[in-house]
Amino acid sequence: MILVLVEQDGGQPSRSSLEAVTAARRLAVAAGVPLEAVLFGAGASGAAAALGAYGVSSAHVVEHARLDAYAPAAWGRSVAELVKAGSPSIVVAVGSDRGQEVLAYAAAMLDAPMAANCVEVRPGELFEVVRQRWGGSLLEEARLDGPVRLLTIAEHATQLEEAAAPSVVAVAPFTPTLSDADLRVRVVARVAPEAGKVSLADARVVVGGGRGVGGSEAFGELEELAALLHGAVGVSRVVTSAGWRPHSQQVGQTGTRIAPDIYIACGISGAIQHIVGCKAAKAILVINTDREAPIMSRAAYAVIGDLHTVVPAISAEIRRRQAS
Amino acid sequence: MNVLVCVKRVPETGGRVTLTADARDIDTRYLGFTVSPHEECAAEEAVRLIEANGGSSTVLTLGPEAASDQLRAAMAIGIDRAILLETDGQDWDPVATAAAIVAAIQAEAAAGVSYDLLLFGNEAADSGDFQVGIRVALALGLPCISGVKSLEINDGVATARREAGGGWDVFEVPLPAVVAVREGINLPRYPSVPGRLRAKKKEIERIVPTAPAAGLTGPAKIRLRLPAETEGRVEVLGTGAEAAPAVVDVLVRIGILSA
């Protein structure tokens, strides 16, 4: 049996969890074993039923009187208990905040290893994985041993694919034995997102600024262009480290991963940590004085020149066409 | 209060990465080293907490002798003490790393030093294992909050926030606790010249950690490789302001602007 952790909200499995389910099903089909899921929270039964399309045969819906909010150690304990009860050969989650955290707890509780952000899994006599290092700019081939293998699947690395033959999911409640210690850390409050703001992660257009912008004041030019394109401003790590812009605007390994239709990268050289944050963009337009900047090799389009001249000219051209 | 911050020495990579001949590591012959970004912020957070609450801060790393540089960098911004768990420079997997840190903390406790707060980075920039802080917390019986971008300590209670779906999840635990932070929790200060000079003179306590027993404990690295890249040809739209109409044409063509 292979066990997959599925995150859900209001009865809908998260998209990235379905990536993990897709990856887990391929392993289950190859090994000829059933695929089971574990889910938490209100709406879990509804989300579980929807997993039949992805080949899940049975789902454990965790229910506990004291488990009313996200509690990482308690979720980890629940997964660890399901492992002891059902002896899966592999436990899979998506490499989201919660996926990494819950599997790390389960692995530690089971005294088993865990491999984070895998992009390929090769079960066999020597169980090998290919996993991301440096946020995905480097790959590591590694062996994973132990009575049970726990691994997370890197987000956005698997195309969603439904099962050839959908299954009917047998949904059953599961009540773990939780100690006080398992429940010490839990979400005590949630702060809702700011209304009406274009979020960097979801923006269709991102106008990015790097060292070449030169200072905090000069970002007005990028903001103007972003506003004209109904997009968001993103920045490189140099910019947030210098305090020119807040960290919430950082694109990269230690910031936000973006996936816009176009990323307009202004004065950005393209350190690998920045590239892993923007490589999901459908197209990159580089505005840079340096033809040899590393980011050029990722670009679909380029303008050679000073961003302080080029960016205002683009804004002016957009306005001119809108006025005519 | 007493704060311990655990950091990792990592290479300062730029635009391109090359591997060693055996493909086991990044070729660092022409690279500098730094503290992994999340942990640089963890060190800054430790200094701020001690400035606000009084007490003492200690920085710990598992790494080669050269990692003394990163310990001194932490002391240069105000960390009081440094402990080096000295290795021969080989990577330790996350299970072995956590075990060595736990042993060091237990040795400190036996010598009468206890910590109210253990700070980690959420994941190391290089290996990205996402688990060392959690393993240490479980082994020591402490609560752990991960992914933290805002931390307040009041009357022995830690209130921490992490980003969730554009908003925030708020966690609260009594100390002692483990907190794994993310870059953005603060803006680390630059070390002052007197700070650097002070750090240079400070002693680094060295411990040789017990090497992991034979056999695998965590993911065991076989080799590294660079991901396959489809390098397309870049279309140069022009030079300077004169390129603006061509840029707008592209924005129209891909459907961002209407014609």
Side-chain angles (χ1 to χ4, degrees):
Chain A
M1 183 263 278
I2 289 176
L3 181 66
V4 60
L5 168 67
V6 175
E7 294 170 53
Q8 62 90 25
D9 193 16
Q12 291 296 324
S14 81
R15 197 197 137 81
S16 63
S17 280
L18 292 177
E19 295 172 3
V21 175
T22 301
R25 186 190 66 243
R26 290 185 184 138
L27 293 169
V29 168
V33 297
L35 177 61
E36 300 185 7
V38 50
L39 300 95
F40 295 81
S45 298
L51 297 173
Y54 286 84
V56 169
S57 60
S58 62
H60 309 274
V61 170
V62 177
E63 289 177 359
H64 192 281
R66 295 177 67 192
L67 202 53
D68 52 350
Y70 176 60
W75 284 35
R77 181 72 66 196
S78 306
V79 171
E81 288 204 346
L82 280 168
V83 169
K84 284 183 183 151
S87 304
S89 52
I90 307 172
V91 182
V92 180
V94 70
S96 61
D97 280 356
R98 291 185 177 187
Q100 311 280 29
E101 188 173 36
V102 171
L103 245 58
Y105 272 106
M109 288 164 177
L110 292 162
D111 211 4
M114 165 198 153
N117 285 332
C118 298
V119 294
E120 209 183 312
V121 183
R122 305 171 185 154
E125 203 178 323
L126 298 180
F127 193 99
E128 289 181 13
V129 296
V130 180
R131 55 179 297 270
Q132 294 182 339
R133 283 189 160 227
W134 291 99
S137 44
L138 203 58
L139 297 175
E140 171 190 0
E141 296 176 13
R143 251 182 79 190
L144 195 59
D145 255 4
V148 53
R149 274 83 176 201
L150 295 103
L151 51 95
T152 62
I153 301 289
E155 283 186 290
H156 314 304
T158 311
Q159 291 280 345
L160 292 193
E161 188 194 23
E162 296 192 356
S167 44
V168 176
V169 187
V171 180
F174 175 77
T175 303
T177 308
L178 301 177
S179 67
D180 287 346
D182 294 328
L183 290 152
R184 280 181 299 192
V185 178
R186 60 182 202 282
V187 173
V188 295
R190 301 199 69 171
V191 181
E194 231 176 284
K197 212 174 123 198
V198 180
S199 103
L200 189 53
D202 302 326
R204 276 189 72 204
V205 177
V206 175
V207 180
R211 189 193 303 273
V213 177
S216 54
E217 302 77 21
F219 276 90
E221 295 163 358
L222 304 191
E223 269 165 2
E224 184 190 17
L225 179 57
L228 284 168
L229 299 172
H230 306 291
V233 169
V235 302
S236 70
R237 182 159 182 263
V238 176
V239 168
T240 54
S241 297
W244 295 349
R245 301 300 294 180
H247 189 274
S248 55
Q249 290 189 334
Q250 191 194 111
V251 170
Q253 188 180 337
T254 51
T256 302
R257 310 288 176 106
I258 59 169
D261 287 344
I262 189 160
Y263 178 46
I264 305 177
C266 311
I268 292 176
S269 66
I272 59 167
Q273 292 88 342
H274 186 72
I275 297 297
V276 296
C278 66
K279 69 178 179 189
K282 286 201 188 111
I284 297 178
L285 163 64
V286 169
I287 300 172
N288 209 304
T289 51
D290 179 9
R291 279 174 192 274
E292 305 301 320
I295 197 167
M296 284 294 179
S297 67
R298 309 286 181 151
Y301 311 100
V303 175
I304 312 302
D306 180 359
L307 70 98
H308 297 300
T309 318
V310 179
V311 172
I314 297 169
S315 296
E317 176 68 12
I318 294 169
R319 281 215 184 78
R320 191 187 64 75
R321 292 200 199 182
Q322 282 172 347
S324 65
Chain B
M1 69 188 300
N2 250 347
V3 180
L4 178 74
V5 54
C6 296
V7 304
K8 187 173 186 186
R9 169 187 168 89
V10 298
E12 249 176 322
T13 54
R16 289 183 182 88
V17 169
T18 47
L19 300 178
T20 53
D22 66 0
R24 299 258 317 158
D25 289 291
I26 290 180
D27 182 355
T28 55
R29 279 177 298 170
Y30 309 108
L31 298 180
F33 285 83
T34 185
V35 174
S36 174
H38 296 317
E39 290 127 62
E40 193 185 344
C41 292
E44 172 67 30
E45 197 67 15
V47 173
R48 290 185 190 191
L49 285 169
I50 299 307
E51 284 170 349
N53 300 295
S56 169
S57 57
T58 303
V59 61
L60 177 149
T61 196
L62 175 106
E65 153 59 30
S68 304
D69 292 350
Q70 281 64 48
L71 295 175
R72 290 199 197 282
M75 289 195 287
I77 64 160
I79 299 279
D80 301 303
R81 262 180 84 204
I83 301 172
L84 173 63
L85 305 181
E86 195 172 343
T87 68
D88 62 1
Q90 291 294 308
D91 269 357
W92 284 36
D93 71 46
V95 175
T97 303
I101 294 170
V102 167
I105 292 168
Q106 286 169 337
E108 289 271 284
V113 182
S114 63
Y115 294 101
D116 304 294
L117 184 63
L118 308 178
L119 289 175
F120 287 80
N122 196 59
E123 82 280 358
D126 58 348
S127 53
D129 288 308
F130 291 85
Q131 56 191 272
V132 173
I134 288 168
R135 288 188 186 272
V136 169
L138 271 179
L140 295 172
L142 297 176
C144 175
I145 312 175
S146 317
V148 170
K149 276 185 100 167
S150 149
L151 177 64
E152 278 178 43
I153 310 279
N154 285 309
D155 302 325
V157 174
T159 306
R161 288 177 172 217
R162 95 168 172 214
E163 289 174 327
W168 298 89
D169 276 345
V170 185
F171 297 87
E172 221 172 65
V173 292
L175 301 182
V178 174
V179 173
V181 310
R182 282 218 165 99
E183 190 180 72
I185 187 172
N186 55 44
L187 186 57
R189 70 195 72 186
Y190 287 104
S192 63
V193 174
R196 278 179 208 269
L197 292 174
R198 248 194 332 272
K200 217 171 164 182
K201 287 187 203 132
K202 279 195 176 168
E203 198 181 323
I204 289 174
E205 298 160 44
R206 282 151 209 275
I207 297 170
V208 177
T210 310
L216 302 182
T217 55
K221 180 169 65 179
I222 301 166
R223 69 182 73 83
L224 302 178
R225 62 180 157 90
L226 296 167
E229 296 299 349
T230 44
E231 289 207 1
R233 279 178 62 88
V234 55
E235 180 187 338
V236 177
L237 300 172
T239 304
E242 287 165 12
V247 170
V248 177
D249 289 345
V250 166
L251 295 174
V252 170
R253 203 191 321 149
I254 65 174
I256 300 296
L257 293 170
S258 49

